[in-house]
Amino acid sequence: MEGTSLFSLPEGMQVSHIQITENSIVVEIVATSPTSRCPLCSEASESIHCHYRRVLRDVPCSGRRVQLFLTVRKFYCRNPLCQRKVFAERIPTFMEPLARMTIRYCQQITSIGLVTCGKGGAKLAARLGMQTTRQTILRRIMDLPELPPGSILYLGIDDFSFRRGYRFGTILVNLESRRVVDLLPDREADSSAAWMRQHPDLMAVSRDRGGEYASVTIWSRLASGLFPTILSSQIGQELNMSYHHCKLIASGVARLHGDLLLVHQSYPGDPLPSWGLPGGQVEPGEELLAGLQRELLEETGLTLVGTPNIVFVLQVLRETEEGIQEWLACHFACEVAGQISPQDPDGLVLSAHWVEEQAALEHLGTDPGYDCEPLRRWLCGEAASGTVYTVKVK
Ligand SMILES: [Zn+2]
């Protein structure tokens, strides 16, 4: 039957019947090779013990789900020295023993998982004619062979539900390789913190959430002064410091026609002036946005237009002799108006400029104290607004 080549079946398998409905195709397949090799002693046998059926999911065909009803056989092993008396025939390039889907189907599910990082993967698969669940996709990614041992530098954290809206766990993703590295059975901060303590190389942790939701959450937490410091790593639990113990910094990310607003500043003791985003420390009692407005005016002479949106938060943890210092650098996308004319009362800002974004990132990258990866990710749309990064500085 010509269906055999249509479905690209391996040698020794033949289509005997095809039944097509609106959404699915059921393909009856028989194994035809006269002999099969014993998996234990490799001797070929032609003595058939029995026939049995296997049902396998296969890759979709013209948008329809495909199910294979496979008639395969068990053979007697006639090698008197072999311990195996009966064995099932194997088609190693096509299906694993006991599997309920073909190898090519598994590979497609894995690819969908890797491209979508698990999010929306089940929906995409359904659109492509593949029935699967988020759990299966995650399991496929988890089953991939381990990467060569290396450290995880950038970790993404999100939660997922084992059953829709019922029980939640935490998914941990290596942001560089885009691979799931672990699943935790709950979404408690302690579990994530314990995991992170075992990964001392972690440089930054990001919590990606949907745009609006994230802004609202972070904004309301910041506004209520209850910013959680759960995303620490090694130093984890010692970090139950309150809002008042950390330095709050407001930074402006102002873009105009592909340029980014930067200030050129000279700190006492620094051999050369450095580049930075406009912004600075919010004073005690001052509101975050008021601090941003004030710093922007002092450093650039420009004023804010409308309400700025939070784009990401950089939580910087610095280990000092006195203990752990924490900075929360809140970055806001803002629109500005006016003429550039810095009037910095501290006299640190030399000038302010609109700099082409790529060049701006390079300028910012020359400051060893500033990690510009989160900014880069946001500018090129790789990270959702509202992402929180934790950076450790020794
Ligand atoms: Zn054998």
Side-chain angles (χ1 to χ4, degrees):
M1 198 168 178
E2 63 261 355
T4 304
S5 54
L6 175 66
F7 288 100
S8 314
L9 298 177
E11 213 177 320
M13 294 172 80
Q14 209 169 53
V15 171
S16 63
H17 185 251
I18 299 176
Q19 189 194 342
I20 301 176
T21 66
E22 198 186 327
N23 299 317
S24 68
I25 302 179
V26 174
V27 189
E28 299 265 358
I29 293 172
V30 288
T32 56
S33 59
T35 62
S36 186
R37 287 190 184 277
C38 168
L40 202 61
C41 68
S42 299
E43 194 164 296
S45 165
E46 55 184 22
S47 319
I48 293 171
H49 170 264
C50 66
H51 290 81
Y52 69 103
R53 299 255 278 178
R54 281 183 69 178
V55 183
L56 294 158
R57 245 178 261 164
D58 196 18
V59 292
C61 181
S62 53
R64 292 182 173 91
R65 292 198 301 272
V66 174
Q67 260 196 325
L68 307 181
F69 283 72
L70 203 64
T71 303
V72 283
R73 300 155 298 177
K74 285 184 179 174
F75 287 82
Y76 290 106
C77 179
R78 296 299 188 194
N79 177 356
L81 301 173
C82 180
Q83 293 189 342
R84 241 339 185 349
K85 298 299 164 225
V86 173
F87 64 90
E89 68 181 320
R90 296 186 180 206
I91 304 152
T93 55
F94 194 68
M95 58 192 195
E96 307 271 8
L98 306 175
R100 285 149 73 176
M101 40 188 111
T102 59
I103 290 173
R104 58 192 183 193
Y105 185 91
C106 288
Q107 286 167 342
Q108 290 198 2
I109 295 283
T110 308
S111 303
I112 289 174
L114 288 176
V115 169
T116 60
C117 280
K119 267 188 184 167
K123 272 190 198 154
L124 174 62
R127 290 292 283 271
L128 298 173
M130 305 168 84
Q131 222 179 0
T132 188
T133 60
R134 190 171 180 186
Q135 286 69 35
T136 306
I137 293 178
L138 294 176
R139 215 165 33 238
R140 294 303 315 158
I141 300 176
M142 295 295 289
D143 285 348
L144 284 173
E146 287 294 315
L147 284 179
S151 42
I152 298 166
L153 300 180
Y154 294 93
L155 182 75
I157 289 194
D158 204 348
D159 48 37
F160 69 96
S161 64
F162 287 98
R163 264 171 59 190
R164 190 181 290 271
Y166 186 69
R167 192 162 67 87
F168 293 90
T170 303
I171 180 167
L172 306 173
V173 179
N174 181 339
L175 290 178
E176 287 183 297
S177 65
R178 308 192 70 191
R179 295 262 304 260
V180 175
V181 289
D182 215 343
L183 298 174
L184 306 179
D186 58 47
R187 55 176 177 182
E188 301 301 319
D190 286 350
S191 311
S192 309
W195 192 94
M196 287 184 231
R197 272 195 293 278
Q198 293 166 3
H199 295 81
D201 294 337
L202 273 180
M203 299 269 294
V205 181
S206 138
R207 313 194 82 193
D208 278 313
R209 294 281 170 86
E212 271 309 300
Y213 173 52
S215 315
V216 171
T217 320
I218 291 168
W219 178 247
S220 62
R221 281 179 183 167
L222 283 171
S224 65
L226 287 172
F227 203 88
T229 47
I230 55 161
L231 292 178
S232 45
S233 35
Q234 250 186 332
I235 24 189
Q237 286 172 336
E238 296 143 34
L239 273 170
N240 276 325
M241 54 178 76
S242 77
Y243 173 80
H244 305 285
H245 294 112
C246 77
K247 279 189 192 172
L248 194 57
I249 292 164
S251 296
V253 181
R255 306 169 88 177
L256 189 69
H257 311 309
D259 290 348
L260 195 64
L261 183 62
L262 291 190
V263 294
H264 206 203
Q265 54 209 354
S266 173
Y267 282 95
D270 281 0
L272 285 172
S274 61
W275 291 92
L277 292 170
Q281 197 177 339
V282 178
E283 296 185 346
E286 188 178 35
E287 282 192 352
L288 193 53
L289 283 183
L292 177 67
Q293 171 86 281
R294 177 184 51 73
E295 287 285 344
L296 193 72
L297 187 66
E298 289 173 359
E299 296 192 350
T300 67
L302 301 172
T303 51
L304 282 176
V305 179
T307 307
N309 287 314
I310 199 152
V311 289
F312 62 89
V313 176
L314 211 56
Q315 182 191 35
V316 181
L317 305 170
R318 190 184 291 274
E319 282 184 76
T320 67
E321 283 179 6
E322 293 87 52
I324 294 147
Q325 255 184 10
E326 182 184 13
W327 299 353
L328 275 184
C330 305
H331 290 65
F332 291 91
C334 45
E335 212 182 304
V336 292
Q339 290 291 318
I340 287 184
S341 65
Q343 39 205 287
D344 183 13
D346 307 323
L348 302 176
V349 171
L350 305 173
S351 55
H353 304 270
W354 289 101
V355 182
E356 189 277 318
E357 279 178 10
Q358 197 51 49
L361 283 173
E362 281 164 25
H363 285 336
L364 293 172
T366 57
D367 178 357
Y370 185 75
D371 181 355
C372 54
E373 179 64 12
L375 179 62
R376 189 199 63 76
R377 291 187 76 219
W378 185 77
L379 288 177
C380 62
E382 283 177 24
S385 289
T387 301
V388 181
Y389 298 87
T390 301
V391 181
K392 286 188 300 176
V393 184
K394 287 248 162 83

